[in-house]
Amino acid sequence: MTDTSIPRADESLDEEGVAPAAAEDDTEAEETEEGPREKKAAGEGDLFRQSEIAADYVEGLLDILDYDGDIDELVSGGRPVVEVVGGRLQNLVGQRGATLEALQELARLAVFRQTGSPSRLLLDVGGYRANRRKELAAVAKNAVEKVKEYGEPVRLEPMSAFERKCVHDVVNAMSGVESESEGVEPNRRIVVRPAD
């Protein structure tokens, strides 16, 4: 029987930016017969290649769906990024970005199939993620203000891993408060509380 399981790209570093305890830096040890060997993180050329593979996959999908869109592939923040811009793309985003998350996983799978390595690819359609980041920054700042005013923890609504990372980034940049995720997908949420 063939193993058809596909490692998720977030197994090495999840969307919230939390690295497993065993991998404290950008390298991981790999055992060989000669002893431990350092395995380097993907270089920028490798990351750009991943974005090109994903862009080709997304372009093929757009052709099948008969949607028009301009596709940009780039590397940003140490990860491959594909941005699709154009009209009539809302169906590719879906309700609260659910379709976009699914397309991102498919694009990551396309990269994995060609490279043999999991990818932390980020896919954005119609500027959805950029706009959502702004909304989430406002939500995070509002939660921080409430925590500072009342001294009580604030629990936010359930969010995707991308959304939680956006909120964590804003909260972590502010003094006197901290945030953590709690719960299980799809109901995982952030709690903002006064720092110890």
Side-chain angles (χ1 to χ4, degrees):
M1 184 173 191
T2 305
D3 180 14
T4 58
S5 64
I6 304 298
R8 291 176 46 100
D10 56 2
E11 285 179 348
S12 60
L13 182 64
D14 71 16
E15 292 291 332
E16 293 182 59
V18 179
E24 291 296 324
D25 58 19
D26 288 339
T27 61
E28 35 181 73
E30 183 179 297
E31 278 296 321
T32 64
E33 290 178 0
E34 297 83 33
R37 184 177 75 195
E38 292 298 312
K39 187 176 180 183
K40 299 289 183 198
E44 189 157 327
D46 293 337
L47 295 175
F48 188 75
R49 174 75 178 123
Q50 290 179 21
S51 67
E52 288 178 323
I53 293 167
D56 289 344
Y57 176 82
V58 171
E59 183 176 15
L61 181 66
L62 292 177
D63 287 345
I64 290 168
L65 296 172
D66 196 27
Y67 283 11
D68 290 324
D70 293 325
I71 301 173
D72 292 324
E73 58 265 345
L74 54 132
V75 174
S76 177
R79 68 192 301 178
V81 177
V82 172
E83 295 176 344
V84 184
V85 183
R88 268 186 10 142
L89 295 176
Q90 186 57 35
N91 288 339
L92 297 178
V93 174
Q95 185 176 1
R96 292 200 53 181
T99 305
L100 176 57
E101 291 294 328
L103 291 175
Q104 178 175 275
E105 287 302 313
L106 290 172
R108 286 177 173 180
L109 177 58
V111 172
F112 177 78
R113 286 205 170 156
Q114 285 199 31
T115 65
S117 299
S119 175
R120 294 180 57 234
L121 173 84
L122 186 66
L123 175 64
D124 194 7
V125 174
Y128 173 80
R129 292 195 192 274
N131 292 333
R132 187 69 177 137
R133 265 191 199 97
K134 291 177 187 173
E135 293 170 4
L136 292 167
V139 168
K141 289 175 184 174
N142 186 35
V144 166
E145 287 174 12
K146 286 182 181 178
V147 168
K148 287 184 175 182
E149 184 176 343
Y150 300 110
E152 296 290 322
V154 173
R155 284 180 171 69
L156 302 177
E157 66 183 29
M159 298 178 184
S160 70
F162 163 77
E163 293 171 324
R164 290 192 308 270
K165 178 168 181 358
C166 293
V167 172
H168 282 306
D169 289 348
V170 172
V171 172
N172 290 336
M174 299 182 162
S175 63
V177 292
E178 60 187 15
S179 63
E180 69 178 356
S181 295
E182 68 177 18
V184 179
E185 296 291 355
N187 296 314
R188 197 156 167 79
R189 67 180 67 228
I190 289 181
V191 179
V192 181
R193 60 174 46 96
D196 293 334

